[in-house]
Amino acid sequence: MALPLEGLSAIVTGAGRGLGRAEALELARLGAAVVVNDYGQPGRDGSGEASAGPAEEVAREIRAAGGTALAHTGDVADFGQARELVEAAVAAFGKLDIVVNNAGILRDRMVFSMTEGEWDAVIRVHLKGHFNTTRFAAAHWRERSKAAGGPVYGRIVNTSSEAFVAGSAGQPNYAAAKGGIVGLTTSCALALGKYGVTANAICPRARTRMTEDVFAGFEQPVDGLDPLAPEHVAPLVGYLASPAAARINGQLLVVHGGMVAVVERPRVQAKFDSKQDAFTYDELDAVLGPHYAQRPAQETFAAAEVLGLRRGGGA
């Protein structure tokens, strides 16, 4: 029996550790050949001997299990290095079918204390990094589609965050980047659909090196799988990358702890029309003032209730 991703090739960024590692292993388990990307160079182990970097270690793990993988240590936030990453996948496997954008960093701080560098670094790695790999993968799929005279196979799985959906007071840079990723995802879903490509975004909750401080107060269970283990997230990524998910496009899904929630698109909550050609200040006050007077003071566009989602709980 063929594996779901047999004959397909994939890139996973930020895959040397944590969530990206789990995703790369899952794609390989499902049959994909994987380019394991993680920024950095090989280092030294405790004895001072040269050691493989995280990307190569994961690639070796995949190969040891009978899969196909190679490591790439370029910076996906660099336009040229992202191009090289896509070219490396095509050169190694003949084509590229799946891109999982996972690479990211945190520079948490309240907005009134945040430095320009902390803002720029997070936007660069998360949002620009997602764009860079997507841009070159999309060009590859478009050229393949033109040559084939019809749709080809393409899957993009982007990584957003509950910080965007629910709001996160201490992460204005991260929340903004993750919101931008959702906009990038829905745009690509519309632009690339005719070429056979789907683009979806996930909001994962996982205990990784990047989020160890965020989830420091969440105890790990003595028995059983940690609800915050990356292994809860990886199967959804594998499914979205598969042929079975062909009808899932432009969607946002929250995933963690044995639970997947499909996030509904924004809906218009109220609409007001001016009595003249254009609204006046007084008329706006007359319609918007009473409307917001009846709503909870702390209610915003953010959906904080998403943070309460749990396996077995209500929607």
Side-chain angles (χ1 to χ4, degrees):
M1 182 176 178
L3 295 171
L5 303 184
E6 189 171 322
L8 302 177
S9 62
I11 287 172
V12 183
T13 71
R17 302 179 178 88
L19 190 55
R21 172 183 172 274
E23 292 167 345
L25 293 175
E26 177 68 4
L27 294 183
R29 188 187 70 80
L30 295 175
V34 182
V35 180
V36 180
N37 165 264
D38 201 84
Y39 182 49
Q41 300 298 326
R44 300 277 173 177
D45 61 22
S47 66
E49 296 294 322
S51 64
E56 178 56 34
E57 290 176 357
V58 175
R60 288 179 181 177
E61 190 173 354
I62 291 172
R63 293 193 294 267
T68 302
L70 61 89
H72 183 275
T73 57
D75 177 7
V76 294
D78 180 279
F79 198 65
Q81 292 181 53
R83 177 196 288 115
E84 293 170 0
L85 171 59
V86 172
E87 290 175 345
V90 175
F93 308 129
K95 61 184 173 62
L96 173 64
D97 303 293
I98 301 160
V99 173
V100 178
N101 286 308
N102 168 75
I105 60 171
L106 289 180
R107 298 291 185 271
D108 293 352
R109 202 175 299 277
M110 299 296 288
V111 68
F112 43 74
S113 302
M114 183 162 288
T115 67
E116 181 181 18
E118 289 165 341
W119 174 271
D120 287 348
V122 169
I123 297 297
R124 176 182 182 273
V125 175
H126 287 273
L127 186 52
K128 188 182 179 186
H130 272 61
F131 160 73
N132 285 346
T133 52
T134 299
R135 184 257 184 257
F136 293 110
H140 168 70
W141 289 320
R142 180 172 178 266
E143 289 304 311
R144 279 176 54 197
S145 179
K146 289 169 68 175
V152 294
Y153 191 97
R155 297 286 188 269
I156 301 169
V157 182
N158 288 332
T159 308
S160 183
S161 170
E162 292 170 298
F164 153 66
V165 179
S168 183
Q171 298 180 303
N173 49 1
Y174 184 70
K178 292 306 190 181
I181 286 167
V182 173
L184 173 66
T185 302
T186 54
S187 174
C188 290
L190 292 175
L192 303 178
K194 63 182 178 181
Y195 302 118
V197 179
T198 66
N200 294 288
I202 63 170
C203 294
R205 192 185 300 181
R207 195 192 308 273
T208 67
R209 189 177 65 162
M210 189 182 84
T211 63
E212 60 185 353
D213 292 335
V214 176
F215 296 124
F218 291 75
E219 293 186 6
Q220 297 189 44
V222 177
D223 299 314
L225 186 63
D226 182 358
L228 292 174
E231 287 75 17
H232 287 294
V233 177
L236 176 61
V237 172
Y239 181 76
L240 293 175
S242 76
R247 290 182 57 83
I248 305 175
N249 192 27
Q251 302 299 308
L252 179 65
L253 302 99
V254 176
V255 54
H256 59 80
M259 181 214 74
V260 174
V262 178
V263 179
E264 187 175 15
R265 66 183 184 178
R267 295 184 296 171
V268 176
Q269 197 269 335
K271 175 181 175 290
F272 305 99
D273 296 323
S274 66
K275 295 179 180 178
Q276 305 78 226
D277 288 340
F279 270 110
T280 63
Y281 173 91
D282 289 339
E283 191 179 7
L284 285 170
D285 186 45
V287 294
L288 292 180
H291 175 74
Y292 282 101
Q294 298 172 15
R295 297 180 65 179
Q298 299 302 315
E299 183 180 275
T300 72
F301 184 76
E305 61 272 17
V306 75
L307 298 177
L309 293 174
R310 297 288 188 276
R311 181 185 179 191

